[in-house]
Amino acid sequence: MTGVPLIIAFVVAIVAMILLISKLKVHPFLAIMGISLLLAIAAGIPLTQIPGVIGAGFSGTFTSIGIVIILGAFIGSVLEKTGAALKLADMVIRLVGEKNPQLAIELMGWVVSIPVFCDSGFVILNPIRKALVKRTGVSSVAMTVCLSCGLYISHVFIPPTPGPIAAAQTLGAGDYLLLVIGIGLLCSIFPLIAGLIYAKFIGKKIKSADEISGKGEVVKTYEELKAEFGKLPGGWNAIAPLIVPILLMGLSSVSSMAGWTGWIADGLTFLGTPIMALAVGTILAIIQLHTSGKQGEFYNLTNDTLKTVGPILFVTAAGGVLGKVISSSDMVNFITQHASALEAIGIFFPFLLAAILKSAQGSSTVAITTTAGIVAPLLPVLGFTAPIDIALVVMAIGAGAMTVSHANDSYFWVVTNFGEMKPEEGYRTQTLMTLVIGIAAMIEIFILSLIF
């Protein structure tokens, strides 16, 4: 199957999957795997190849973020167990004030995701989010949406995150990457504001599982929570398991951008991969556990962490299967072949193309790089030749690549599960939030294109 019938089949598959999960209460793992299999058959993928496609999609997800999720969750568990998360929450509140916890966590995510993938960043910062919820009593859902929003915006806009830096190089903006970074910072303003407003709105409509289970219980004050841990870790000890991995990944990106060579560059590349960077953070977390006198709980803490992340990993991997089925079909080729029909849309063309690819196969990075490859030869036709114009095209691609995050996106499941929300609540929070910030970003990009 190809062409319009394949597009229709994809839409029907997504609708069926949403209905299975939200209405019939089929477990997301079974629903996604079943729909992936049926879509693979409908798309005309040879029957003998379908098992390989499913296996590649499943294993590919574990390869990319599986270990990262496990190590990040363990670090978070240690931060919670030792009271370090409460210490970090206290530091953030002192910085921005108790009246702005949603803004605080959104900006933290935005900064962290410049060198770090948003999936990893959410896992790393989730303990701080939870501690801030306890510290301030604000909506857990609003805080989840704000954190996800901040992480996602810089993930698609600001190099050295792999997606935007690859797009910049593909489109010929590699020689003025600083301009792309500056435009990425500027184009973050509208979506950050829109995401914050939507988070506060939806936080009043939806309650997460931790908020519901907490009803009826005696709510402890922040001082009472601190007293349970005795003396909290110092500021550096509390932040080291988080900040050191981020610094290592950032230094690795700088080394790659600067073209450094030699053993120092090799060492930074090694330590800067997400797995090794979080492994260093894990070691620092274990040291923190020991200095807090809780080393006897190391085994149980590890075991509990694995039990917690297991379901998340399997549902996330199922989403990877759906994405692999789509990429193995003829859908991407069909979209590419008919891209010329959208050229008249101007700056909205790369946005719409990236949004279609993002919604179809789930990965923002894949949507960015694929769209950049399609758009690159069309830049003169679209009238985008000046450096500032090309930088705005990179931003338009990034805005499309976060519109929207749904069930075939691993980030959707990371946010939904760690935010303790049901899948149908994920559609109303994560999916609609990415639609809101994607449109807000594109409005700003269009305005800037008129100015520049």
Side-chain angles (χ1 to χ4, degrees):
M1 183 185 295
T2 186
V4 175
L6 179 56
I7 302 295
I8 294 174
F10 166 73
V11 173
V12 171
I14 295 300
V15 172
M17 180 179 61
I18 293 174
L19 290 176
L20 284 172
I21 294 172
S22 61
K23 298 297 183 182
L24 301 181
K25 307 302 179 184
V26 176
H27 192 280
F29 177 79
L30 295 177
I32 298 172
M33 292 295 288
I35 289 296
S36 298
L37 175 59
L38 293 176
L39 184 60
I41 296 172
I45 298 175
L47 293 178
T48 55
Q49 296 180 16
I50 290 177
V53 170
I54 292 175
F58 196 84
S59 62
T61 302
F62 277 93
T63 301
S64 60
I65 65 170
I67 297 176
V68 167
I69 287 179
I70 293 172
L71 295 180
F74 176 79
I75 293 173
S77 297
V78 172
L79 293 179
E80 289 182 303
K81 194 69 176 179
T82 60
L86 287 176
K87 178 65 176 181
L88 291 173
D90 197 35
M91 293 166 63
V92 172
I93 290 300
R94 290 181 180 179
L95 181 64
V96 301
E98 291 193 21
K99 297 182 179 179
N100 301 297
Q102 297 99 330
L103 177 61
I105 200 67
E106 183 182 45
L107 293 178
M108 287 174 63
W110 181 71
V111 171
V112 165
S113 199
I114 293 175
V116 180
F117 270 94
C118 55
D119 305 68
S120 306
F122 194 94
V123 176
I124 290 172
L125 295 179
N126 190 54
I128 299 180
R129 179 195 69 83
K130 294 172 69 175
L132 281 171
V133 170
K134 292 181 179 178
R135 174 74 170 85
T136 62
V138 298
S139 164
S140 176
V141 169
M143 293 290 282
T144 295
V145 174
C146 278
L147 175 56
S148 173
C149 172
L151 288 162
Y152 216 14
I153 290 169
S154 54
H155 175 75
V156 300
F157 278 162
I158 307 174
T161 304
I165 196 173
Q169 292 173 340
T170 301
L171 296 173
D175 293 336
Y176 39 90
L177 203 57
L178 187 61
L179 173 63
V180 177
I181 294 174
I183 294 296
L185 297 174
L186 182 61
C187 289
S188 298
I189 297 174
F190 276 28
L192 282 171
I193 295 172
L196 180 63
I197 293 172
Y198 183 75
K200 291 183 177 181
F201 165 77
I202 199 66
K204 298 176 182 178
K205 306 292 183 179
I206 297 176
K207 300 295 181 182
S208 60
D210 56 336
E211 291 179 290
I212 295 173
S213 63
K215 287 186 176 181
E217 298 178 359
V218 177
V219 178
K220 299 178 181 178
T221 65
Y222 179 66
E223 287 69 25
E224 290 172 332
L225 288 171
K226 285 199 300 184
E228 292 180 357
F229 293 98
K231 184 180 179 181
L232 295 181
W236 168 249
N237 287 336
I239 202 172
L242 299 179
I243 197 67
V244 171
I246 293 169
L247 290 175
L248 288 174
M249 286 185 267
L251 286 172
S252 176
S253 298
V254 170
S255 173
S256 177
M257 291 171 58
W260 295 349
T261 59
W263 65 270
I264 295 179
D266 292 341
L268 289 175
T269 300
F270 170 72
L271 292 174
T273 59
I275 291 177
M276 296 312 303
L278 284 172
V280 173
T282 300
I283 294 173
L284 294 173
I286 293 172
I287 293 173
Q288 183 184 112
L289 197 66
H290 177 77
T291 56
S292 299
K294 300 184 184 328
Q295 62 271 22
E297 302 181 40
F298 179 44
Y299 180 87
N300 289 333
L301 196 62
T302 305
N303 199 42
D304 291 341
T305 299
L306 293 174
K307 290 179 180 179
T308 300
V309 302
I312 298 173
L313 287 174
F314 283 109
V315 172
T316 301
V321 171
L322 179 58
K324 187 66 175 178
V325 167
I326 294 298
S327 63
S328 299
S329 71
D330 196 51
M331 184 180 297
V332 175
N333 289 333
F334 176 77
I335 294 171
T336 302
Q337 292 170 3
H338 294 79
S340 59
L342 299 175
E343 291 175 15
I345 305 176
I347 193 67
F348 290 96
F349 164 67
F351 168 79
L352 291 173
L353 183 57
I356 292 170
L357 291 171
K358 163 62 181 177
S359 298
Q361 53 77 47
S363 169
S364 293
T365 302
V366 171
I368 290 173
T369 54
T370 303
T371 304
I374 297 172
V375 171
L378 302 175
L379 286 177
V381 177
L382 295 170
F384 302 125
T385 54
I388 186 67
D389 293 334
I390 297 176
L392 288 172
V393 171
V394 174
M395 297 303 111
I397 293 173
M402 60 182 173
T403 314
V404 293
S405 172
H406 62 96
N408 66 349
D409 180 9
S410 63
Y411 190 48
F412 174 88
W413 295 109
V414 170
V415 173
T416 302
N417 283 284
F418 278 90
E420 299 190 47
M421 294 183 289
K422 300 175 182 177
E424 56 267 32
E425 294 168 341
Y427 301 134
R428 296 176 61 192
T429 55
Q430 175 70 0
T431 302
L432 286 181
M433 178 272 290
T434 54
L435 176 63
V436 168
I437 63 175
I439 293 174
M442 196 57 225
I443 290 173
E444 180 177 6
I445 293 164
F446 176 65
I447 293 173
L448 291 175
S449 71
L450 296 177
I451 296 173
F452 296 124

